[in-house]
Amino acid sequence: MPATTRGDKERETRITTITYAGADIPACPAGTDHWTAGDIRLHLRRDLNWSAARGESTATGPTAQNAVNALAYTEARERRAAALASRSTRGQNFAREMRSYLRIGTRSRRFQTGRWILDGHRDVLTLIAEAHTRSGSTERRREDLFRSAFAAMCAWHKHIDGYRAHPALVLRINSMTPHQFCGLLGEMIDAGVSNNWEGEEFFAAMNRRAASDRPAAGASTGQQ
């Protein structure tokens, strides 16, 4: 099958309308290889693919209509994400965004050969540190969410990685899956942990709850 040439693509540029959400929108030239259709910007790129953009949303496709269809899908997904975020706490939004960014699922494991740069916990912490120290390391909204976990990260380094917390709690947190670990950091955000002392209090309370859940000695054997 012959490769697509720019001449083929130029014949496709005779577009007059595109369809978005079931409505036909007139397309007008707006410079070399650029068109506008309402508030949608179309561009025939050098790789001979099309891009469609509106606001901060963008999508690509092999034809102008394909790119617009992809843009509609992207915008619908962003609206659903925004609606979900509006019903969630900041910590929940952090955990959701981090899991999505690193493709962390409920079955992801902390130590998984070929999956992580360091491990499933430290890769999460590295992104938090980068968001705090390197402005522009990722998109603005995500960077703000990741940065909000910086105090939680510092508390983890001191009390968990530094083995200052109760050994049973250190073991429990180190045994968490990456999915659970993101949730823990989100809980620390929502608890208002802003320094190492508040982190110490958070971990102490967490250990007390865990201790109260553990069965008393002899309970499993029926001893009084």
Side-chain angles (χ1 to χ4, degrees), residues 130-183:
E130 288 181 350
H132 182 77
T133 58
R134 291 174 49 204
S135 179
S137 60
T138 184
E139 66 178 65
R140 179 67 177 273
R141 179 187 60 83
R142 181 183 297 128
E143 186 175 85
D144 288 344
L145 280 174
F146 288 2
R147 189 183 293 125
S148 68
F150 184 73
M153 181 200 76
C154 292
W156 176 89
H157 274 298
K158 181 173 183 179
H159 300 291
I160 304 304
D161 201 38
Y163 291 93
R164 295 193 177 196
H166 192 282
L169 182 66
V170 172
L171 176 62
R172 179 183 177 188
I173 291 176
N174 283 339
S175 300
M176 286 181 170
T177 65
H179 192 277
Q180 294 169 329
F181 186 63
C182 290

Side-chain angles (χ1 to χ4, degrees), residues 39-104:
D39 55 356
I40 298 175
R41 305 181 303 278
L42 299 168
H43 176 215
L44 177 59
R45 307 188 319 180
R46 290 186 177 182
D47 63 3
L48 304 185
N49 282 315
W50 287 80
S51 69
R54 176 160 56 183
E56 295 184 359
S57 301
T58 185
T60 61
T63 68
Q65 187 60 57
N66 287 145
V68 170
N69 293 344
L71 177 65
Y73 174 81
T74 297
E75 291 182 329
R77 184 180 59 190
E78 290 172 347
R79 287 193 295 270
R80 289 194 298 269
L84 180 59
S86 69
R87 300 192 299 269
S88 304
T89 66
R90 187 166 184 80
Q92 290 170 335
N93 287 331
F94 161 82
R96 186 182 302 113
E97 187 66 28
M98 183 63 77
R99 289 164 180 159
S100 174
Y101 188 70
L102 287 180
R103 295 181 173 84
I104 294 173

Side-chain angles (χ1 to χ4, degrees), residues 157-224:
H157 274 298
K158 181 173 183 179
H159 300 291
I160 304 304
D161 201 38
Y163 291 93
R164 295 193 177 196
H166 192 282
L169 182 66
V170 172
L171 176 62
R172 179 183 177 188
I173 291 176
N174 283 339
S175 300
M176 286 181 170
T177 65
H179 192 277
Q180 294 169 329
F181 186 63
C182 290
L184 171 66
L185 295 174
E187 289 176 16
M188 295 177 73
I189 293 171
D190 288 340
V193 172
S194 61
N195 54 52
N196 284 335
W197 182 84
E198 291 174 349
E200 180 180 5
E201 290 294 301
F202 178 90
F203 289 130
M206 184 177 177
N207 186 59
R208 286 193 296 271
R209 291 194 300 271
S212 67
D213 291 340
R214 289 193 289 267
S220 60
T221 59
Q223 296 179 13
Q224 301 297 323

